[in-house]
Amino acid sequence: MTKTADLEADIGEILLTEEAIASRVADLGRQIAADYAGRTLTLVSVLKGSLPFMADLMRQIPLPLRIDLMEVSSYGGTATESSGLVRIIKDLSASIADEDVLLVEDIIDTGLTLNYLVRYLRGKNPASLRICTLLDKPARRLVDIPVDYQGFEIPDQFVVGYGLDYGERYRNLRFVGVLRPEVYAGE
Ligand code: IMP
């Protein structure tokens, strides 16, 4: 069985500690709760990477809210590069028409996945649609997307942990770290 210590050995640098993440998520929750006071919010999260962020963020927003989950995957590309061609594996389970929707994402890299999702969700006629991402890598952006709530801006490095994976591993790390390039060398 793989031990957490073995997973941690593949990490070159811890970028965001568990404490830094928790504190920033609490800030975001306060900001979102203030902005949506008096309204009923629907949080839409995208599996699987956003799972820990969604679970922590929703508990920092003391408003009546609904949650829904989508799962998408990109065609082609590699384990570290998204192709922008998105396939919906799991769709919303309820209508978001006339709802105030906040899309909760783990990371925006090129922005291609999010661009697709925003268009898709707009097509469902929500009353409003805003974007909240824990991590933002603006250096790699290929499409311009307005981000309403951002946890951390990070450099152009491939990161794992707190939901983010490489080849489906490392999601259970409690921090966000930079994967040693030798782990994905030869990809
Ligand atoms: P985009 O379409 O290039 O913005 O990529 C978005 C998706 O790629 C994210 O939701 C992640 O699943 C994945 N991704 C992008 N950068 C990273 C990273 O540094 N680590 C792990 N996954 C990443």
Side-chain angles (χ1 to χ4, degrees), residues 43-100:
L43 299 177
V44 173
S45 166
V46 188
L47 295 169
K48 305 168 193 154
S50 308
L51 194 58
F53 180 41
M54 174 72 152
D56 289 343
L57 182 66
M58 63 189 264
R59 288 176 292 171
Q60 297 293 339
I61 306 175
L63 295 179
L65 58 79
R66 293 200 302 137
I67 66 166
D68 209 337
L69 301 167
M70 290 185 70
E71 184 171 0
V72 300
S73 77
S74 37
Y75 289 108
T78 65
T80 58
E81 298 278 341
S82 110
S83 66
L85 295 170
V86 178
R87 182 165 63 104
I88 294 178
I89 295 172
K90 187 212 167 295
D91 205 342
L92 296 170
S93 53
S95 166
I96 54 164
D98 303 320
E99 301 283 338
D100 288 313

Side-chain angles (χ1 to χ4, degrees), residues 46-50 72 74 79-84 86 105-115 135 137 140-141 154 157-161 164-166 171:
V46 188
L47 295 169
K48 305 168 193 154
S50 308
V72 300
S74 37
T80 58
E81 298 278 341
S82 110
S83 66
V86 178
E105 263 285 19
D106 50 359
I107 186 165
I108 310 178
D109 188 24
T110 62
L112 294 170
T113 307
L114 191 59
N115 190 46
L135 306 176
K137 272 195 224 173
R140 303 229 329 147
R141 195 74 91 255
I154 61 165
Q157 285 170 310
F158 192 78
V159 293
V160 293
L164 291 162
D165 75 308
Y166 171 71
R171 294 193 196 275

Side-chain angles (χ1 to χ4, degrees), residues 3-185:
K3 295 197 248 33
T4 312
D6 295 335
L7 295 173
E8 292 185 16
D10 291 344
I11 305 301
E13 180 199 351
I14 295 182
L15 212 54
L16 304 169
T17 62
E18 187 178 356
E19 294 74 23
I21 296 169
S23 154
R24 188 70 189 118
V25 172
D27 290 345
L28 289 172
R30 272 191 289 276
Q31 205 185 330
I32 292 164
D35 291 353
Y36 286 90
R39 287 147 76 186
T40 307
L41 182 60
T42 301
L43 299 177
V44 173
S45 166
V46 188
L47 295 169
K48 305 168 193 154
S50 308
L51 194 58
F53 180 41
M54 174 72 152
D56 289 343
L57 182 66
M58 63 189 264
R59 288 176 292 171
Q60 297 293 339
I61 306 175
L63 295 179
L65 58 79
R66 293 200 302 137
I67 66 166
D68 209 337
L69 301 167
M70 290 185 70
E71 184 171 0
V72 300
S73 77
S74 37
Y75 289 108
T78 65
T80 58
E81 298 278 341
S82 110
S83 66
L85 295 170
V86 178
R87 182 165 63 104
I88 294 178
I89 295 172
K90 187 212 167 295
D91 205 342
L92 296 170
S93 53
S95 166
I96 54 164
D98 303 320
E99 301 283 338
D100 288 313
V101 175
L102 182 61
L103 181 56
V104 176
E105 263 285 19
D106 50 359
I107 186 165
I108 310 178
D109 188 24
T110 62
L112 294 170
T113 307
L114 191 59
N115 190 46
Y116 174 89
L117 280 169
V118 165
R119 284 162 184 251
Y120 181 78
L121 293 175
R122 284 227 173 90
K124 307 261 175 205
N125 301 313
S128 67
L129 177 62
R130 287 189 186 173
I131 293 162
C132 175
T133 187
L134 179 69
L135 306 176
D136 192 352
K137 272 195 224 173
R140 303 229 329 147
R141 195 74 91 255
L142 295 178
V143 277
D144 191 27
I145 299 183
V147 177
D148 302 281
Y149 304 96
Q150 181 214 66
F152 301 92
E153 194 172 301
I154 61 165
D156 179 12
Q157 285 170 310
F158 192 78
V159 293
V160 293
Y162 195 67
L164 291 162
D165 75 308
Y166 171 71
E168 294 298 328
R169 292 177 74 205
Y170 309 102
R171 294 193 196 275
N172 52 334
L173 293 177
R174 303 162 83 100
F175 54 81
V176 171
V178 181
L179 196 59
R180 288 183 190 281
E182 56 264 35
V183 176
Y184 54 86

